[in-house]
Amino acid sequence: ATVSMAFAAITFDVSILEECIPLYHGITVCMANEEEIHNPMALSKLILNNGVDMLTCTPSFLINIIDMPEMRSCLSRIKVFNVGAEAFPESLYDKIMALGTQAVVFNGYGPTETTIGCAFVQVTGEKITIGKPMANIRIVMIDRHRNLLPAGVPGELLIIGNGVGRGYVGKPEMTADKF
């Protein structure tokens, strides 16, 4: 049976990804407490004692623990790394593979305004990207005048679709800037 680790507080939107989605699919969720999140020895013990084999976290969290001797053994048992919320450094994929695991590694992208995510891709060690848009989402590049740009031309990322929020409550300036 698959066991997924949950780090996020239930009040954070990522908790939906870490807790609700696995439970919906019949996956056991192991919830880490503050001590376990911040203490590699406690986290390693939690992962090993509960048979955790799916991990969702930020790249920086994983980078901070992956080279620790006390973490290498438990991380080598992870079958799925679901990484997101920050840029995915190329060196991280190599560090994961150096654990000796055959893990599947995913990179998710999505600013807060899109709640959890809007793009997703399996990382294979080749060029790291944010992936393709998820269902009901379109992603395009625009220039500073909001004109569409052709593929490959640098610009500003515009996310369009049902997963995009309508704005910030009581913050019209932020809403005008972001939406």
Side-chain angles (χ1 to χ4, degrees):
T2 300
V3 179
S4 182
M5 176 61 69
F7 293 110
I10 197 81
T11 55
F12 187 39
D13 66 348
V14 172
S15 69
I16 295 168
L17 179 62
E18 289 185 345
E19 297 160 20
C20 299
I21 293 173
L23 289 172
Y24 177 78
H25 291 282
I27 295 171
T28 300
V29 174
C30 177
M31 297 177 74
N33 63 33
E34 283 294 315
E35 161 75 13
E36 292 155 339
I37 292 169
H38 298 294
N39 179 338
M41 294 301 287
L43 180 59
S44 178
K45 185 177 178 182
L46 181 70
I47 290 171
L48 293 171
N49 288 348
N50 290 281
V52 172
D53 57 1
M54 180 182 285
L55 187 67
T56 300
C57 63
T58 62
S60 59
F61 182 84
L62 193 51
I63 286 169
N64 284 334
I65 64 172
I66 200 164
D67 290 326
M68 295 178 174
E70 58 270 20
M71 292 303 300
R72 292 189 63 78
S73 174
C74 70
L75 291 176
S76 69
R77 298 168 190 243
I78 303 295
K79 295 177 184 169
V80 178
F81 287 90
N82 186 8
V83 183
E86 302 167 350
F88 191 113
E90 286 184 39
S91 62
L92 180 56
Y93 181 79
D94 294 334
K95 285 180 177 284
I96 293 169
M97 292 299 111
L99 294 168
T101 179
Q102 297 300 310
V104 178
V105 181
F106 293 101
N107 183 31
Y109 171 77
T112 300
E113 294 81 8
T114 63
T115 305
I116 307 175
C118 62
F120 199 66
V121 67
Q122 181 176 343
V123 179
T124 60
E126 299 190 14
K127 186 177 181 180
I128 306 290
T129 70
I130 63 169
K132 294 185 178 183
M134 294 177 179
N136 300 314
I137 297 287
R138 267 186 58 220
I139 297 177
V140 296
M141 295 300 285
I142 58 172
D143 65 19
R144 63 185 173 157
H145 304 290
R146 298 188 180 243
N147 297 311
L148 288 176
L149 295 171
V153 175
E156 185 174 348
L157 195 67
L158 178 63
I159 304 164
I160 307 162
N162 294 341
V164 179
R166 295 183 182 171
Y168 298 98
V169 176
K171 298 192 180 214
E173 303 84 26
M174 278 184 74
T175 297
D177 180 52
K178 299 287 185 186
F179 293 91

